[in-house]
Amino acid sequence: MVRFISLGSGSSGNAYYLESADTALLIDMGIGIRTCKKYFRDYGLNFGMVRALLVTHYHTDHVKAVGALSQQFHFTVYSSQLIHEGMDRNFMMSKKVPQELRYRVTHHESFQVGGFTITPFPVPHDTSENNGYFITHGDIRFCLITDAGHITSEMLPYIREANYLVIEANYDKELLATGPYPPYLQKRISGGNGHLCNDITADTLSKNLSADAKQVWLCHLSEENNRPNIAKETITKALKEAGYGVEETLHVETLRRKEPSGFYLLN
């Protein structure tokens, strides 16, 4: 059995945690280190179990405390070379990952951390590189995709294979168009290297989600340009129309932006 918890999912900070009996993984750490430590205490998590900190990309809301955690707890930080270089350039990440704790991954090449097999793959975003992660442990097939400007052919095999999927549903098209963001920022978000909207996520899942998928979590919802109920209803409606057993064999939930989700058991 594997436990999953989202410690934060949104522009204020993203961090995700997976734990087996003897190994834990962190994916991103964009929340402050003090907040991270508080959440670990609150939920009984153990820094000593963490064997890898996987990084999707180097924007501050994903890496704020990566260097600090790596230095203090000697976490090995896994990401591609371009992302390690991007973290070095990010002046908001005041503490950097020590060279000896940097592991450089290659897209579509799997590696092992404890009982987890991890495969990174490319996701389009307005950074030099961005990783999605496909993680297996026994029969559990977990996939995380965030900050994706569009869906690519390289992403689809992992979506189709996952029975547990974290995927971005950042904005609602109408809310973005009528909201407070200026035109240039709207264009950046809705462009091919920005973020996924509810409709694209819904369409992608309705055509590609595995028949034995058990759980979909919608992540990185915009506070200004989306609403949890709108995102969930949009994706749920598309999945029901495609014949998925939503609320029977398949569950869809939105992840909280600024606080932990609580534990989910994956089996």
Side-chain angles (χ1 to χ4, degrees):
M1 184 178 293
V2 170
R3 297 198 300 174
F4 167 68
I5 184 171
S6 167
L7 301 176
S9 183
S11 57
S12 299
N14 300 269
Y16 308 95
Y17 175 94
L18 279 172
E19 177 192 88
S20 67
D22 58 3
T23 302
L25 308 175
L26 281 169
I27 307 175
D28 288 343
M29 187 46 66
I31 60 178
I33 189 167
R34 291 178 184 173
T35 301
C36 172
K37 289 179 177 179
K38 178 182 184 302
Y39 290 162
F40 265 62
R41 289 194 302 271
D42 290 347
Y43 288 87
L45 307 180
N46 182 359
F47 284 109
M49 287 186 63
V50 177
R51 298 288 181 265
L53 201 170
L54 314 175
V55 175
T56 59
H57 63 293
Y58 51 77
H59 283 165
T60 304
D61 59 325
H62 294 261
V63 299
K64 182 177 181 180
V66 168
L69 280 178
S70 180
Q71 288 186 24
Q72 182 168 351
F73 296 103
H74 305 287
F75 293 160
T76 301
V77 176
Y78 291 71
S79 206
S80 52
Q81 176 63 25
L82 289 175
I83 296 169
H84 280 295
E85 292 172 2
M87 287 191 283
D88 284 338
R89 294 191 303 269
N90 186 338
F91 67 91
M92 297 296 291
M93 186 176 156
S94 57
K95 294 187 177 181
K96 305 302 182 183
V97 179
Q99 288 289 338
E100 67 273 16
L101 294 175
R102 301 182 185 192
Y103 184 101
R104 292 157 181 84
V105 307
T106 301
H107 291 152
H108 308 299
E109 291 189 7
S110 301
F111 57 93
Q112 200 79 18
V113 177
F116 293 100
T117 301
I118 304 164
T119 308
F121 57 92
V123 172
H125 194 46
D126 57 356
T127 54
S128 58
E129 208 156 62
N130 183 23
N131 296 325
Y133 289 100
F134 184 78
I135 302 170
T136 63
H137 190 288
D139 293 331
I140 295 165
R141 307 184 305 276
F142 177 94
C143 182
L144 185 141
I145 295 170
T146 186
D147 295 62
H150 62 281
I151 301 294
T152 69
S153 59
E154 288 185 280
M155 296 158 63
L156 288 176
Y158 300 104
I159 293 173
R160 291 169 180 157
E161 186 68 18
N163 52 14
Y164 294 93
L165 175 64
V166 179
I167 189 167
E168 182 178 58
N170 178 259
Y171 68 96
D172 173 80
K173 287 182 178 179
E174 184 176 350
L175 288 177
L176 178 65
T178 59
Y181 283 11
Y184 81 90
L185 190 51
Q186 291 186 30
K187 185 176 180 180
R188 181 245 164 186
I189 291 168
S190 61
N193 289 318
H195 292 275
L196 287 180
C197 70
N198 297 336
D199 292 337
I200 291 176
T201 300
D203 182 66
T204 300
L205 297 186
S206 68
K207 294 175 179 176
N208 295 283
L209 193 62
S210 171
D212 68 349
K214 298 180 180 181
Q215 181 86 42
V216 172
W217 294 277
L218 305 176
C219 71
H220 213 302
L221 273 67
S222 169
E223 189 169 24
E224 296 83 5
N225 305 309
N226 211 350
R227 302 289 182 272
N229 64 307
I230 293 175
K232 183 176 180 178
E233 288 170 7
T234 302
I235 279 76
T236 297
K237 181 175 182 290
L239 288 170
K240 285 183 176 179
E241 290 176 350
Y244 290 89
V246 180
E247 298 170 0
E248 298 169 2
T249 58
L250 173 63
H251 300 280
V252 179
E253 295 185 44
T254 58
L255 294 176
R256 300 168 185 166
R257 299 184 70 257
K258 299 179 181 179
E259 58 185 15
S261 61
F263 282 114
Y264 295 92
L265 299 180
L266 285 53
N267 53 37

